[in-house]
Amino acid sequence: MRMTVEPSYSPTPTPKEELEWLPLPKHPLFTTTTTTTATTTTTSSNVTRNLLAFDEINNRLYFWDSNNNRLHRLSLRLGDPGPTSVLAASPSKVLQTDVVLDFDVNKISINRNGTAILLFGSQRLCVMYLYGRTSKKDVNLICRTITVGSQTHSIGNNDIPVLEALWHPYSDTHLGVLSSDSVFRLFNLALDPLQPEQEYYLQAAGSGRSKNASSMCPVGFSFGGDHLWDRFSVFVAFSDGSIYVICPVVPFGSLFICESLLEIYNDAHTFGLMSANSVAASNSKLAISWLEATFPELQKQEIEGDSLSLLRAHAYAVFDASLVLQGPLRRVGQSGNEDSVGRSAECEGRAVSFLYNSVSKDSILVTAWSGGQLQIDALADEIQPVWSVGSPPRLRLDSHDKILGLAMICESIASSRLEKLDHNAWLGNPPPLLRLAIVDLALPRRAESGYNISLFIDTLMPERIYSLHDGGIDSILLHFLPFTSQTNGKDDTMRTPSVHPVLNTCQSGRTAEPSLCGFVSLSDSFGYSWIVAVTLSQECVVLEMKTWNLLLPLSIDMEKERIQSAGQLNDREIQPIISKELLSGPKEVLVPWASQSLRSVAADSIEGRSTLHQYFKLFHETYVEYAHKVHLELKHHAPQLKKIINDQHTRLGEARQKLLKVEEKESILQKRIDRAIQMHSSLEERLQQLRKLPGAHKKPLSRAERQFKSELDQFKEVELDALHSSVEAVSARMRRHMQASKASQQQKKIPGKKISAGDDQISILKSSLEKLSLVNTENSKKVKLVESTLSNKEKIGGESSLPMLKNC
């Protein structure tokens, strides 16, 4: 039962009142004390939540109030009045759905042009259009809200969980949805929000070959970026860390830049169609025909040289071929401490989220693991479309034979070996991965299912990735990108990414409960960047993120730094009190040359007086003036000397006080050292006693036993949950087919109606139901076997620990 508490903050009911611009953290929506509902606290530990969305076109921030099931819209001013300030308009505009939501909203996301927002639940999807009529009770806007894929994901009580839903980057009305039954669906909300426009049934390499159950459970997907065939690609990650690609996937009616299409069109002609390899020529021929049929104006652009800027994608599918699920993507130079899908030994648990990031000429793939690690890879080659000829798709046509929708099975074809990158073009091999780094977020260990980590891209600096988890927010900055660094002429040495904690919610190394329910990255046109986070208690945190000079290499001249520091130190220590000219003494007096006859001249004579007067004048100019200068300078510097002497006396008194404090603390430190020595000796005695216990000399496990133990741990962490989810998906499909068979039988009993399905179709349906029931029973047996093995292992472990406890 949903428990809601009305917050004390409510927008002003007078729409004509002038708006007040306040700093975003001090907005009444976030400063008013609210109480979190019970539903929020229970679901937040299992599902990652993000209730914030930002409209970059209109500078509007949206926040979903889960207590009252309504959306708040805040108009923002970035960099006004100060360059680093973020102001929000108060009061906020409240938007309400025109239908009652029967599910908890975990995430919201806005489409490209800011006209609709997605309300994402674990088993429900709704789209709320951001325009509507004013309510009669208050000034709130009542917005039209539609349900997405209710016929596909929800049939009675048989709900298929939705893993992820994203807006397509090249369409305002297309929504991509990945469900737990390994099906990727693309919905066109402008035509039919209930029935998908395109369906792709993903058959991974481990499916049907008894590889492991985790290879059949997807965790997330991402659309490709603005780079060659990446814009037509969908990347799907599974819980064992494997990554697959389906290409080409294009929304019907979406717009693409003509120049980019001509680039891949010419590339297919140059490197594929004219290749001496028959496989490359065949694959490129299919790609060229697909491009010419999907974009009919493309060939005319190539021949006539027209200047159209955008081309619209037409509905098209190869009638005798289906797309290949390319993968799993292998790593270049895969070492022995990695498994078959390139998972490193440092990665613990299972994959929980996935992110694609396009930076200049590089395609970056980031996989987050439940143990708190991030696996960062880059595509070492270009993605190219691959079809499986002889496996026709299923098409849905209108009365004029135009394609309304399609569905196909995408199977993975494992490549025999990894070809050289120079000779891998258009051969149908999946692109290899280049491992950039394994980033450990150093999160406290959890004994349960691990952490749910969400990944975000900085809107201003794509080289920076944010990770949102229960411990807070971290920033990962990529310094090395293989193709981009090579193009820019940077150093070829791989520089590891830098990780910086931005917001810490985990205190003293303990495992923390989820404390954040919203995150968004903001940026303006002047190069300033911010992040906004909202806590479960509805408090807002705004942090400015530095962007300038972060990617510049750190270069320090140590010799110059040493000379400058030494000069500053000398200048600081030796303060000139008397000038160097005075310290060097008076100038040397050059006595004029005198003849021998001058010695016989009397002093009172005219010639003697003249000579004495000349000597006296010379000595006066030299020594008397020097003494006068010394007197004046000493008199001028007397206050400064007094100030220096007083400063020295003050520093001397502070030094004496510090010495007294050190003498007082010396006894305390001596006591602590003695206590530590006693503790060390007691721990040594306990260690000697523990070594005498029988459990200390237990025989270590053999290689086969260790391998079996690791397999059991893998089953306990990943495989058991994967088997449960696969059994649920198969059961849901079986119930759906049983309902369909019952409906067909009821149609048979009604007289006067023609039956469309023949006896052969009914027999095929019965055989498929029998096969599904057999698979279901086999999976149930496997689950029971694993559970019994785990329970026996726990019993054996408990019995073995009893004698050790008794001896202690």
Side-chain angles (χ1 to χ4, degrees):
M1 181 178 179
R2 182 184 299 274
M3 298 173 59
T4 59
V5 178
E6 291 291 337
S8 57
Y9 167 72
S10 60
T12 309
T14 56
K16 295 183 180 180
E17 184 178 352
E18 293 185 359
L19 296 177
E20 183 182 3
W21 294 92
L22 302 172
L24 184 57
K26 297 181 180 180
H27 195 276
L29 176 62
F30 302 116
T31 56
T32 306
T33 305
T34 59
T35 305
T36 309
T37 61
T39 307
T40 302
T41 56
T42 55
T43 59
S44 60
S45 59
N46 300 324
V47 181
T48 305
R49 308 184 51 160
N50 188 13
L51 304 180
L52 280 179
F54 181 62
D55 181 8
E56 298 181 3
I57 299 177
N58 302 312
N59 276 354
R60 290 175 175 177
L61 182 68
Y62 292 90
F63 174 70
W64 178 260
D65 185 3
S66 57
N67 296 328
N68 300 290
N69 278 351
R70 58 186 185 180
L71 188 69
H72 291 267
R73 185 181 69 193
L74 290 84
S75 298
L76 298 185
R77 284 182 180 175
L78 303 179
D80 184 21
T84 60
S85 61
V86 179
L87 301 181
S90 176
S92 62
K93 193 66 178 178
V94 177
L95 291 78
Q96 292 181 346
T97 59
D98 60 350
V99 295
V100 179
L101 300 181
D102 57 349
F103 64 94
D104 295 323
V105 176
N106 298 325
K107 297 179 184 178
I108 65 172
S109 61
I110 196 167
N111 64 346
R112 187 178 57 173
N113 61 358
T115 58
I117 201 162
L118 171 67
L119 306 179
F120 177 85
S122 59
Q123 295 178 345
R124 297 287 192 276
L125 291 175
C126 284
V127 172
M128 182 179 180
Y129 291 96
L130 302 178
Y131 52 85
R133 65 183 189 277
T134 306
S135 175
K136 296 180 180 179
K137 298 180 180 179
D138 45 29
V139 295
N140 299 345
L141 284 180
I142 306 299
C143 299
R144 175 172 169 259
T145 306
I146 60 174
T147 304
V148 180
S150 60
Q151 297 179 357
T152 307
H153 304 112
S154 302
I155 300 178
N157 296 326
N158 305 325
D159 294 331
I160 299 177
V162 178
L163 301 177
E164 193 164 5
L166 298 174
W167 292 100
H168 200 281
Y170 293 98
S171 176
D172 300 325
T173 60
H174 281 81
L175 187 69
V177 178
L178 179 66
S179 54
S180 61
D181 56 350
S182 299
V183 180
F184 173 75
R185 297 176 175 89
L186 197 61
F187 291 88
N188 188 356
L189 305 182
L191 297 179
D192 190 357
L194 301 180
Q195 192 171 6
E197 178 185 87
Q198 302 176 40
E199 287 183 289
Y200 299 92
Y201 293 83
L202 310 179
Q203 302 292 329
S207 179
R209 295 178 175 86
S210 301
K211 181 182 176 182
N212 52 25
S214 62
S215 63
M216 298 181 289
C217 296
V219 295
F221 78 96
S222 286
F223 291 109
D226 190 13
H227 178 70
L228 297 180
W229 286 96
D230 289 17
R231 58 178 56 88
F232 300 128
S233 302
V234 178
F235 298 82
V236 184
F238 286 75
S239 57
D240 62 344
S242 58
I243 301 173
Y244 294 85
V245 185
I246 50 177
C247 175
V249 176
V250 58
F252 298 159
S254 55
L255 297 175
F256 292 87
I257 300 175
C258 180
E259 185 180 355
S260 303
L261 298 177
L262 285 174
E263 183 181 3
I264 60 178
Y265 185 71
N266 296 330
D267 176 79
H269 275 89
T270 305
F271 299 100
L273 197 60
M274 299 180 182
S275 175
N277 194 318
S278 59
V279 177
S282 176
N283 291 334
S284 61
K285 186 177 180 180
L286 281 173
I288 291 171
S289 63
W290 181 85
L291 283 172
E292 292 177 350
T294 307
F295 304 97
E297 302 86 355
L298 188 62
Q299 193 173 6
K300 186 185 298 183
Q301 291 278 324
E302 178 68 18
I303 297 174
E304 301 178 0
D306 295 338
S307 59
L308 292 177
S309 58
L310 296 175
L311 296 181
R312 186 176 298 276
H314 291 68
Y316 174 75
V318 182
F319 289 94
D320 60 341
S322 296
L323 296 181
V324 172
L325 184 63
Q326 303 181 46
L329 305 184
R330 311 286 180 178
R331 192 174 77 88
V332 177
Q334 192 165 313
S335 58
N337 62 343
E338 298 177 353
D339 56 10
S340 59
V341 296
R343 171 183 176 179
S344 299
E346 295 88 353
C347 300
E348 301 176 359
R350 57 186 178 87
V352 292
S353 62
F354 173 74
L355 177 69
Y356 169 92
N357 186 15
S358 178
V359 184
S360 186
K361 295 186 177 181
D362 288 279
S363 300
I364 309 300
L365 307 179
V366 185
T367 306
W369 297 84
S370 60
Q373 296 83 25
L374 301 182
Q375 179 178 302
I376 305 176
D377 300 309
L379 289 180
D381 201 356
E382 302 297 344
I383 295 175
Q384 289 152 355
V386 183
W387 283 268
S388 176
V389 181
S391 177
R394 184 177 179 181
L395 304 178
R396 190 173 75 254
L397 307 176
D398 60 1
S399 58
H400 300 285
D401 291 337
K402 292 184 179 180
I403 298 177
L404 297 178
L406 60 88
M408 63 179 68
I409 298 175
C410 301
E411 294 182 336
S412 176
I413 301 176
S415 58
S416 57
R417 60 189 180 91
L418 190 63
E419 301 286 343
K420 294 183 179 180
L421 296 181
D422 297 337
H423 307 283
N424 201 29
W426 296 102
L427 294 180
N429 296 324
L433 296 177
L434 178 64
R435 179 62 46 82
L436 297 183
I438 299 292
V439 177
D440 192 352
L441 300 178
L443 300 177
R445 291 187 175 272
R446 272 186 175 178
E448 304 91 11
S449 58
Y451 290 90
N452 287 324
I453 302 175
S454 300
L455 302 173
F456 302 91
I457 304 174
D458 193 304
T459 56
L460 184 64
M461 182 183 293
E463 294 88 352
R464 180 160 51 192
I465 301 170
Y466 298 106
S467 63
L468 175 65
H469 47 78
D470 296 346
I473 303 172
D474 292 326
S475 169
I476 300 95
L477 187 63
L478 303 178
H479 298 282
F480 174 78
L481 299 170
F483 295 103
T484 305
S485 300
Q486 183 179 3
T487 304
N488 297 337
K490 293 183 179 180
D491 191 5
D492 294 334
T493 56
M494 292 184 62
R495 184 181 172 189
T496 58
S498 57
V499 184
H500 304 282
V502 178
L503 185 63
N504 186 13
T505 60
C506 183
Q507 299 178 357
S508 67
R510 299 179 181 178
T511 57
E513 292 296 327
S515 58
L516 300 176
C517 66
F519 175 86
V520 73
S521 174
L522 309 179
S523 62
D524 62 359
S525 57
F526 295 99
Y528 292 95
S529 177
W530 302 266
I531 63 170
V532 179
V534 176
T535 63
L536 290 177
S537 58
Q538 208 163 312
E539 296 176 349
C540 182
V541 179
V542 179
L543 298 176
E544 181 192 359
M545 304 301 297
K546 294 187 178 298
T547 55
W548 301 108
N549 301 330
L550 285 180
L551 297 177
L552 295 178
L554 186 62
S555 178
I556 299 176
D557 190 351
M558 300 303 295
E559 185 67 21
K560 183 177 180 181
E561 185 73 18
R562 184 182 64 80
I563 294 174
Q564 289 180 356
S565 61
Q568 292 176 1
L569 184 62
N570 293 334
D571 293 342
R572 196 181 304 116
E573 291 179 353
I574 303 173
Q575 297 180 358
I577 302 303
I578 300 177
S579 62
K580 295 179 181 180
E581 181 182 359
L582 296 181
L583 290 175
S584 62
K587 297 179 181 180
E588 295 181 1
V589 180
L590 298 176
V591 180
W593 180 82
S595 60
Q596 294 292 333
S597 60
L598 187 63
R599 297 180 180 180
S600 59
V601 176
D604 56 350
S605 64
I606 298 174
E607 187 177 358
R609 289 180 179 179
S610 176
T611 303
L612 289 176
H613 179 71
Q614 184 178 1
Y615 284 170
F616 178 78
K617 183 179 180 181
L618 181 64
F619 289 135
H620 182 273
E621 290 178 355
T622 303
Y623 293 103
V624 175
E625 288 183 1
Y626 173 76
H628 183 66
K629 289 181 181 179
V630 171
H631 173 72
L632 290 178
E633 192 158 350
L634 289 177
K635 185 178 180 181
H636 175 71
H637 288 291
Q640 186 177 359
L641 289 173
K642 184 178 180 181
K643 182 179 179 181
I644 293 174
I645 293 172
N646 294 334
D647 187 20
Q648 295 292 336
H649 281 294
T650 305
R651 293 176 63 184
L652 180 62
E654 292 177 355
R656 287 177 179 174
Q657 291 180 359
K658 289 181 180 179
L659 287 175
L660 292 175
K661 290 182 181 179
V662 169
E663 291 176 357
E664 292 176 357
K665 292 182 179 179
E666 184 180 3
S667 59
I668 300 174
L669 290 174
Q670 190 65 34
K671 292 180 182 179
R672 293 178 65 181
I673 292 172
D674 296 339
R675 195 183 308 162
I677 293 173
Q678 294 177 1
M679 180 65 68
H680 178 71
S681 60
S682 63
L683 290 175
E684 284 286 344
E685 294 177 359
R686 292 182 64 183
L687 182 61
Q688 295 295 334
Q689 294 177 0
L690 290 173
R691 286 176 178 173
K692 296 178 183 179
L693 294 176
H697 305 283
K698 188 170 60 175
K699 182 180 178 181
L701 297 176
S702 63
R703 183 178 181 181
E705 290 174 342
R706 290 196 303 269
Q707 186 177 1
F708 181 68
K709 183 177 180 297
S710 64
E711 289 179 359
L712 286 179
D713 293 338
Q714 180 72 11
F715 270 105
K716 184 177 180 181
E717 293 178 357
V718 180
E719 304 290 334
L720 195 60
D721 297 335
L723 284 174
H724 278 299
S725 62
S726 62
V727 168
E728 291 175 358
V730 171
S731 300
R733 288 186 180 182
M734 186 179 67
R735 294 191 190 99
R736 189 182 302 173
H737 284 293
M738 290 178 65
Q739 290 177 1
S741 62
K742 288 180 181 179
S744 62
Q745 290 177 2
Q746 290 178 0
Q747 288 180 0
K748 281 184 177 181
K749 295 179 181 179
I750 298 174
K753 287 188 177 181
K754 294 182 179 181
I755 301 172
S756 59
D759 295 335
D760 53 347
Q761 295 180 354
I762 295 174
S763 61
I764 293 172
L765 184 61
K766 289 182 179 179
S767 62
S768 62
L769 285 174
E770 292 175 358
K771 290 180 181 179
L772 286 173
S773 61
L774 289 175
V775 172
N776 192 11
T777 53
E778 290 178 359
N779 288 333
S780 301
K781 290 180 181 179
K782 290 180 181 179
V783 172
K784 291 180 180 179
L785 178 61
V786 172
E787 290 178 348
S788 62
T789 307
L790 291 174
S791 61
N792 292 333
K793 179 184 173 184
E794 292 175 357
K795 289 181 181 178
I796 293 172
E799 292 176 357
S800 61
S801 60
L802 285 175
M804 296 176 63
L805 294 173
K806 290 180 180 179
N807 293 328
C808 293

